[in-house]
Amino acid sequence: MAKHIEFSATGSPEVLRYCEFIPVDPAPDEVQVENKAIGINYIDTYIRSGLYPPASLPSGLGTEAAGIVTKVGSNVTSIKIGDRVVYAQSASGAYSEVHNVLASKLALLPDEISFEQAAASFLKGLTVYYLFYLTHKIQAGETFLFHAAAGGVGLIACQWAKALDANLIGTVGSDEKTALAKAAGAWQTINYNRENIVGRVLDITNGGKVGVVYDSVGKSTWLDSLDCLKRHGLMVSFGNASGPVTGVDLGILNQKGSLFVTRPALNGYITTREELNEASKTLFDLIASGKINVDVPENQKFPLSEAVRAHQTLESRVTHGSSLLIP
């Protein structure tokens, strides 16, 4: 027997249940991982709430964790029992003591990176990788806007932008988060609770605006994001923390400067073993070199049994950086 989190109806965090289950052996192309640290991501709240409905109910939750391989499917040759691994694109169910994962979704974890560092950074780090390298190639010296700069993805983005010698303007919701984003490498910050986002971008860029905006907030920042873009600029909408963007009149893109908009996702960019190897190596090298720090505050590490409290805390917007569940 093992313990995991499941839910039988979508809704508030209280639908999550901590319960026993009997693990099954991995399928031929899978391995079984004993999770040591589990990443909590905002997309998990979308699935739990029903914004992104699960395939069926009851359902597990979570796609990211790091741990040790304990069983290997009959067709798996690249992974062996005892390997340290991390994954971020598994079938839902990573909120668990053990989880069966397709071998193609696993990355071998270098010894110098801990399980907690890996689980705190893998999905978020791969997200920044595809945003900065594939959706739009960030160049040294480039100035761009990144919303929620003190969040889990945002703090990695701030550090990554600094490593690329790029100028990240980050939006944040408090003075504390301003300090966090700047310490991580944000070039400039905008406290959206005290400052006008568009006005500040105009001030910072001397009226030039930016060529790309990365927006994981969604509904509440949609129009501001468009107004921060220069002619032919790119709006990258990759999340819905404030609710989904709906009812868009495409004519607005013409009116605001013949803009481009994309709605990317990790599984649209990192789909092959080669792509995963390249992305994970880039991320791990930055972490190992100290250019990206993903240590998690102790008050953002929750026992697996307290997944309800973890989701309540995440949705209250009081966290910064990454949060973890520990089996």
Side-chain angles (χ1 to χ4, degrees):
M1 299 292 286
K3 296 288 185 67
H4 72 170
I5 298 296
E6 70 172 23
F7 60 106
S8 298
T10 57
S12 65
E14 288 75 17
V15 302
L16 300 177
R17 295 186 297 117
Y18 180 60
C19 53
E20 286 190 333
F21 76 110
I22 300 174
V24 300
D25 288 337
D29 295 321
E30 293 179 334
V31 303
Q32 189 167 99
V33 180
E34 180 183 338
N35 290 331
K36 299 298 185 181
I38 301 161
I40 305 172
N41 294 286
Y42 216 89
I43 193 172
D44 301 341
T45 71
Y46 300 161
I47 295 168
R48 185 215 72 224
S49 70
L51 178 62
Y52 295 171
S56 61
L57 291 170
S59 174
L61 190 62
T63 61
E64 175 183 38
I68 297 173
V69 174
T70 54
K71 294 183 179 181
V72 175
S74 58
N75 291 343
V76 176
T77 59
S78 58
I79 305 288
K80 65 182 185 300
I81 291 173
D83 279 345
R84 302 172 76 250
V85 295
V86 60
Y87 57 90
Q89 293 175 285
S90 72
S92 193
Y95 285 19
S96 181
E97 292 176 340
V98 297
H99 188 41
N100 292 343
V101 184
L102 284 170
S104 61
K105 301 299 184 184
L106 291 168
L108 292 171
L109 187 59
D111 289 341
E112 59 267 30
I113 298 175
S114 71
F115 293 122
E116 290 189 0
Q117 287 177 312
S121 67
F122 200 52
L123 179 60
K124 300 172 185 69
L126 293 184
T127 297
V128 176
Y129 174 87
Y130 86 73
L131 291 174
F132 283 8
Y133 289 78
L134 303 176
T135 305
H136 171 82
K137 179 68 172 175
I138 292 293
Q139 304 293 330
E142 181 173 3
T143 298
F144 62 97
L145 182 65
F146 201 102
H147 288 292
V153 174
L155 287 179
I156 291 176
C158 289
Q159 296 174 81
W160 208 314
K162 184 178 180 180
L164 294 173
D165 292 322
N167 301 323
L168 182 149
I169 304 170
T171 68
V172 295
S174 69
D175 291 339
E176 178 190 11
K177 291 187 175 183
T178 293
L180 288 167
K182 285 188 173 180
W187 177 61
Q188 298 280 349
T189 57
I190 301 169
N191 183 338
Y192 56 77
N193 283 319
R194 290 196 290 103
E195 300 173 293
N196 178 273
I197 292 173
V198 179
R200 281 284 288 131
V201 168
L202 288 169
D203 288 342
I204 292 167
T205 62
N206 294 318
K209 301 187 178 181
V210 296
V212 61
V213 174
Y214 294 104
D215 190 338
S216 62
V217 177
K219 182 179 179 180
S220 67
T221 51
W222 165 251
L223 290 176
D224 280 345
S225 293
L226 297 183
D227 285 333
C228 290
L229 285 166
K230 62 179 65 174
R231 185 165 58 99
H232 303 167
L234 174 64
M235 166 66 170
V236 183
S237 176
F238 70 102
N240 309 291
S242 68
V245 177
T246 59
V248 175
D249 177 0
L250 289 178
I252 198 172
L253 304 179
N254 170 277
Q255 297 162 17
K256 293 185 180 294
S258 296
L259 304 178
F260 294 86
V261 176
T262 184
R263 184 65 173 85
L266 181 62
N267 59 14
Y269 280 99
I270 300 176
T271 60
T272 68
R273 166 53 61 184
E274 292 74 24
E275 290 168 344
L276 179 60
N277 287 346
E278 181 176 354
S280 59
K281 183 181 186 306
T282 304
L283 173 64
F284 293 155
D285 286 350
L286 286 168
I287 295 173
S289 70
K291 291 180 179 178
I292 290 181
N293 177 1
V294 289
D295 292 335
V296 177
E298 287 300 319
N299 66 349
Q300 289 177 210
K301 299 176 186 177
F302 302 87
L304 178 61
S305 59
E306 296 185 18
V308 170
R309 184 167 68 90
H311 273 227
Q312 290 170 337
T313 305
L314 183 65
E315 291 183 312
S316 72
R317 302 289 186 91
V318 298
T319 63
H320 56 81
S322 300
S323 298
L324 293 174
L325 292 171
I326 307 298

